[in-house]
Amino acid sequence: MLFASFNFDFLGYAPPSWQFGFCGADSSSGASVVAIDNKIEQAMDLVKSHLMYAVREEVEVLKEQIKELIERNSQLEQENSLLKNLASPEQLAQFQAQVQTSSPTTGTQPGTLGASPAPLQSLPPNQCTGPPM
């Protein structure tokens, strides 16, 4: 019997036994249904505990990575500030000119000492770049 041990509790009701043709089910099959339900519940609890453990481990790894990145960012900011302070105005101007003549693809490039990329030039709103239509 396929449905003899199927648990319909998740649907919120238990169908009458006559629907599946096992009216004469004895008490031993009822006990086996309960045992199977208990085994399923234990397996689900085990899976849940393993997943929770794995998630907790991953959270700890990510927290450590965040901590390391914050420390690295702080070190780089200090280095950047020091280099700015040690550079002469001529060196800074030369560097700014070099940054503006290069074509940055990602906004700021590593080692730009906080310099912003050259501003984009835009056309007035009434001019088109394509052929007239």
Side-chain angles (χ1 to χ4, degrees), residues 10-105:
F10 71 93
L11 296 175
Y13 78 100
S17 59
W18 57 264
Q19 282 186 318
F20 300 112
F22 53 90
C23 278
D26 57 10
S27 63
S28 65
S29 68
S32 66
V33 169
V34 171
I36 291 172
D37 285 347
N38 287 339
K39 294 285 186 183
I40 291 171
E41 188 174 337
Q42 289 173 356
M44 290 172 57
D45 287 342
L46 185 62
V47 169
K48 179 182 173 184
S49 66
H50 281 289
L51 284 174
M52 292 299 292
Y53 179 77
V55 167
R56 285 188 189 110
E57 279 187 343
E58 186 67 21
V59 166
E60 291 302 316
V61 168
L62 292 173
K63 282 182 180 179
E64 186 63 31
Q65 287 178 346
I66 289 169
K67 181 181 172 186
E68 291 170 2
L69 289 171
I70 289 172
E71 290 173 2
R72 178 72 176 139
N73 187 43
S74 177
Q75 290 172 348
L76 290 173
E77 286 176 347
Q78 289 175 355
E79 181 182 339
N80 188 17
S81 177
L82 177 67
L83 290 173
K84 280 183 180 180
N85 290 334
L86 294 176
S88 68
E90 295 82 21
Q91 289 173 324
L92 287 174
Q94 180 183 7
F95 182 73
Q96 289 286 357
Q98 182 182 359
V99 168
Q100 288 178 353
T101 58
S102 67
S103 58
T105 57

Side-chain angles (χ1 to χ4, degrees), residues 91-131:
Q91 289 173 324
L92 287 174
Q94 180 183 7
F95 182 73
Q96 289 286 357
Q98 182 182 359
V99 168
Q100 288 178 353
T101 58
S102 67
S103 58
T105 57
T106 60
T108 58
Q109 296 174 344
T112 60
L113 295 177
S116 59
L120 296 175
Q121 295 182 0
S122 62
L123 295 174
N126 60 354
Q127 289 185 340
C128 297
T129 58

